[in-house]
Amino acid sequence: MFRAKFREDRSPTLIGRRVVLRPLGETDFPQWCEVRSRCRDWLGRWEPLPAPYAGDINVDPVAFALRCRQRAQEVTSGTGVGFGVFVDGYFRGEVNLNLIHRGPFQSAYLGYWIDESVAGLGLIPEAVALVLQYAFEQLALHRVQISIIPRNAASIRVVQKLGLRSEGVALRYLEINGVWEDHERFAITAEEWMERGEWLVTTFCH
Ligand SMILES: CC(C)(COP(=O)(O)OP(=O)(O)OC[C@H]1O[C@@H](n2cnc3c(N)ncnc32)[C@H](O)[C@@H]1OP(=O)(O)O)[C@@H](O)C(=O)NCCC(=O)NCCS
């Protein structure tokens, strides 16, 4: 039987071969703004539109600070954990565990993005393997899902490299860039992590 320790950690830091993951704070805004502004077109195709009347988190320090506080609140309440991806001390992207459900589901949804200037270096597979380890071995979750628009070939490659299982395509699943897009749902459960987790961490993280 899979056994995992649940350890409450308000500011988790995960360290891989090249990436360091930690929650973002207000002082990260200058780097956040630089990366998000430079990569606006590259990222916008794959992201929801900003909420109407909300400040633009990409360029508005007040809106970004609010997002950081909301993310910190999620950690406290156990409903989510957001990680900034840092490489050589520079902010380069995010891997987020969203909508953590407890009870009989024990599940989370994982999302990610990387700075276009460092795409293709395998940084997100490394970061995702670290977050999966955290999800199963620290948070004691049973299931993590990643949802991907089928034409997003780069993102499909990430889950292929990690060997996540496809659960098929959900029609009109998420509203991305203003369009209700089909998504292929990929998942991994704690039982699969027990079988393959050590290999994933050894291969991608150390
Ligand atoms: C999807 C994404 C997170 C992958 O991160 P990454 O760290 O580049 O991942 P990898 O290095 O493993 O590259 C994955 C694939 O991207 C493609 N790729 C490689 N270099 C690339 C580049 N410079 N630009 C675009 N795509 C590239 C390749 O197909 C690669 O697969 P390969 O290694 O088998 O050749 C990144 O492309 C991204 O942030 N895209 C925009 C936002 C997005 O799609 N988020 C995910 C939504 S589900």
Side-chain angles (χ1 to χ4, degrees):
M1 183 184 159
F2 181 73
R3 291 179 189 280
K5 285 185 305 207
F6 174 68
R7 180 167 60 86
E8 190 177 352
D9 188 346
R10 297 277 160 88
S11 189
T13 298
L14 312 179
I15 300 172
R17 191 185 299 151
R18 297 167 296 171
V19 302
V20 173
L21 309 187
R22 65 159 173 81
L24 294 172
E26 296 179 30
T27 56
D28 295 311
F29 179 73
Q31 285 197 58
W32 163 273
C33 180
E34 190 279 319
V35 173
R36 295 286 308 184
S37 301
R38 179 164 43 74
C39 299
R40 188 178 279 270
D41 294 341
W42 152 261
L43 298 172
R45 295 175 295 159
W46 309 115
E47 295 186 347
L49 293 173
Y53 312 116
D56 184 345
I57 55 167
N58 293 328
V59 294
D60 178 351
V62 176
F64 177 73
L66 178 62
R67 181 183 191 262
C68 291
R69 285 198 293 278
Q70 287 170 340
R71 286 276 183 205
Q73 178 57 38
E74 288 171 9
V75 175
T76 304
S77 62
T79 55
V81 189
F83 293 98
V85 178
F86 291 82
V87 182
D88 296 330
Y90 289 98
F91 170 70
R92 291 300 189 184
E94 286 187 291
V95 177
N96 297 316
L97 280 175
N98 300 311
L99 298 172
I100 295 175
H101 291 263
R102 292 296 181 175
F105 200 20
Q106 298 291 336
S107 182
Y109 298 87
L110 189 151
Y112 46 69
W113 64 270
I114 195 82
D115 182 334
E116 184 176 9
S117 71
V118 291
L121 302 178
L123 296 171
I124 286 297
E126 178 180 334
V128 169
L130 283 172
V131 173
L132 289 176
Q133 182 182 39
Y134 176 77
F136 290 117
E137 298 183 10
Q138 299 298 324
L139 298 182
L141 291 177
H142 179 254
R143 171 190 159 87
V144 175
Q145 177 177 311
I146 299 176
S147 316
I148 305 176
I149 297 175
R151 67 175 179 281
N152 189 345
S155 189
I156 297 281
R157 279 295 297 143
V158 170
V159 291
Q160 284 175 344
K161 288 179 192 183
L162 295 169
L164 270 63
R165 178 174 35 79
S166 173
E167 295 186 329
V169 174
L171 301 183
R172 300 173 290 283
Y173 187 66
L174 292 172
E175 191 177 21
I176 299 296
N177 199 21
V179 178
W180 286 98
E181 296 276 8
D182 299 349
H183 279 70
E184 187 166 358
R185 295 176 303 115
F186 294 87
I188 177 170
T189 63
E191 291 82 357
E192 291 164 301
W193 180 260
M194 269 188 75
E195 284 177 13
R196 304 185 46 249
E198 194 174 327
W199 177 84
L200 283 170
V201 170
T202 305
T203 304
F204 290 97
C205 307
H206 298 308

